[in-house]
Amino acid sequence: MTFRQKAMKFFVRWHRRLAWLGGAAVLIWGLSGISHPIMSWTGPKATSFFPPKVTLTPQALAELPEAAHGLTGLPVSVVKIVASANGPLLQITESQSSPRRYFDLAAGEWLIDQDAQQARWLASYYTGRSDDEIIQLEFLDHFTGDYPSVNRLLPVYKVSFTGDDQLQAYIHTETAALASLNDATKRKVQFVFRQLHTWEFLNVAGFGRALLIALMMLSLFLMSAAGIGLILAIKQRKIKDGKRRWHRYLAYGIWLPLMAWSFSGFYHLFQAELVERVSGMHLDKPVALAEESFSTELDWLSSYQNKQIRSVSIVRGAGGENLIRLGLASRAKQPALNQHSSHHSAQ
């Protein structure tokens, strides 16, 4: 038996052995993967796609020094003037996982439980539903099956509405963003996707789930490798059998995509298992706030009177000074998180 014949026999044997397992992997992940775009096509749509705008006036900014005076000594990481149902408010972020605090700019008073009220207002703003239709509000500092880690942002409020569609809005108050929007149909499709595509039902097996999926991906990779080895080992000839001929044509077309798919899936699997998932936003060191650190010179503000403002923030400059950062709305239709920034000295 020649080397070519031995190689052909080896590749035929292993290609056939791995065909059932590899074929099952293609069907399971291929068909379940289709559910992902289905969720996007059939899922609920927001009625507003941009964050609410702040009405920026010199009078509102003039209240900043007085409002900031009461925050002296607090570990403040993010300071913003944000839009609310009752006009501009001062939003304070002390830690990444805790609710935001809000202060009335004019009175400088702490508005208790305002973060939850902000989430309700934003949920109504993005969905077009009234506040009276909200039946439940839940603060989430972790990802769930209905709000997976692909959404990135934490913490969020899960705002549930009444109605047959069982609409749920996930609001990230730090950025005034709609992090996710689900209804009953989307949650059902999402459940199928989690069970068949990520094999969530095997989470009880711990790392065994990753090993089993890795075995399936490896079998798909080896099946493709054996198939291409078989093509190289068999002499080129005209195949009379139509089924075999089309099988060969198909092999030429899909061997590379299958190998790339299985290899990238193998990498993605172990990255998800071994690398810590990113959540929320990275916060800078606390900003030192004091009334005397703010300037009352606001002449520069006149050039922004007719511009759309997403937010007004206090940030630390390279030299440690406080700066006022304006989040300007993009002229192009961009997602809610996309902003332009303009900086001005606050001292």
Side-chain angles (χ1 to χ4, degrees):
M1 183 180 295
T2 65
F3 175 78
R4 178 184 290 272
Q5 291 174 325
K6 290 180 179 179
M8 186 173 64
K9 185 177 180 180
F10 173 82
F11 288 128
V12 167
R13 181 171 65 250
W14 281 103
H15 187 66
R16 288 176 176 175
R17 287 178 177 178
L18 296 168
W20 287 103
L21 195 58
V26 171
L27 288 176
I28 291 173
W29 285 309
L31 293 178
S32 63
I34 296 175
S35 64
H36 199 275
I38 289 177
M39 284 189 287
S40 299
W41 298 335
T42 63
K45 302 294 187 296
T47 57
S48 299
F49 298 95
F50 300 93
K53 299 184 294 294
V54 177
T55 302
L56 184 63
T57 63
Q59 291 75 18
L61 276 185
E63 304 291 348
L64 258 180
E66 181 67 27
H69 181 67
L71 303 176
T72 304
L74 290 179
V76 178
S77 295
V78 182
V79 185
K80 289 182 179 180
I81 297 177
V82 297
S84 77
N86 299 314
L89 296 177
L90 188 65
Q91 182 195 69
I92 304 299
T93 299
E94 298 177 74
S95 69
Q96 184 167 311
S97 59
S98 62
R100 275 58 185 167
R101 298 174 67 178
Y102 296 80
F103 291 81
D104 184 282
L105 275 173
E109 297 178 349
W110 174 28
L111 304 177
I112 300 175
D113 198 35
Q114 178 61 34
D115 202 39
Q117 298 305 315
Q118 189 78 350
R120 294 174 68 97
W121 175 67
L122 288 170
S124 296
Y125 169 82
Y126 281 115
T127 62
R129 306 284 181 92
S130 70
D131 185 87
D132 295 336
E133 296 179 74
I134 297 175
I135 57 175
Q136 187 178 18
L137 187 75
E138 182 181 356
F139 181 78
L140 294 178
D141 59 0
H142 61 280
F143 296 112
T144 66
D146 292 334
Y147 185 72
S149 59
V150 67
N151 292 293
R152 302 289 186 182
L153 295 177
L154 282 178
V156 294
Y157 286 88
K158 183 175 78 170
V159 185
S160 302
F161 291 87
T162 186
D164 295 336
D165 58 353
Q166 301 174 28
L167 188 68
Q168 293 177 345
Y170 292 84
I171 301 296
H172 187 244
T173 54
E174 164 67 31
T175 54
L178 177 65
S180 182
L181 190 62
N182 288 348
D183 61 7
T185 301
K186 184 177 178 180
R187 286 193 293 275
K188 290 176 182 177
V189 177
Q190 203 172 44
F191 175 80
V192 172
F193 177 82
R194 295 198 311 268
Q195 304 309 313
L196 297 182
H197 203 80
T198 65
W199 291 13
E200 188 182 72
F201 64 94
L202 287 178
N203 282 345
V204 293
F207 200 68
R209 163 187 164 276
L211 291 177
L212 183 58
I213 297 178
L215 177 62
M216 294 284 285
M217 300 305 296
L218 183 61
S219 68
L220 181 60
F221 183 88
L222 293 177
M223 181 193 72
S224 303
I228 192 62
L230 189 60
I231 290 176
L232 296 175
I234 297 177
K235 292 181 178 180
Q236 296 293 327
R237 68 183 188 280
K238 186 175 182 180
I239 302 176
K240 296 181 180 180
D241 189 337
K243 293 181 180 179
R244 293 181 60 192
R245 184 168 63 251
W246 279 107
H247 180 86
R248 189 181 185 92
Y249 291 156
L250 185 63
Y252 279 123
I254 69 171
W255 75 269
L256 184 58
L258 282 180
M259 292 186 75
W261 183 35
S262 56
F263 179 79
S264 61
F266 192 92
Y267 171 80
H268 178 70
L269 170 68
F270 282 96
Q271 183 189 46
E273 293 294 325
L274 301 177
V275 178
E276 184 178 357
R277 295 176 180 177
V278 177
S279 64
M281 303 179 69
H282 176 72
L283 298 181
D284 199 357
K285 295 179 181 179
V287 177
L289 293 179
E291 188 173 353
E292 59 271 14
S293 67
F294 293 88
S295 171
T296 57
E297 297 295 331
L298 300 174
D299 295 340
W300 56 267
L301 187 59
S302 59
S303 61
Y304 296 95
Q305 289 285 353
N306 298 320
K307 294 184 181 295
Q308 292 185 335
I309 306 298
R310 297 297 185 209
S311 65
V312 183
S313 308
I314 306 301
V315 298
R316 185 192 297 104
E321 71 280 9
N322 288 341
L323 299 177
I324 296 178
R325 180 175 65 190
L326 304 182
L328 304 180
S330 173
R331 293 180 180 178
K333 292 186 176 181
Q334 298 293 335
L337 292 181
N338 288 351
Q339 299 179 349
H340 295 304
S341 294
S342 180
H343 295 75
H344 295 273
S345 175
Q347 295 183 331

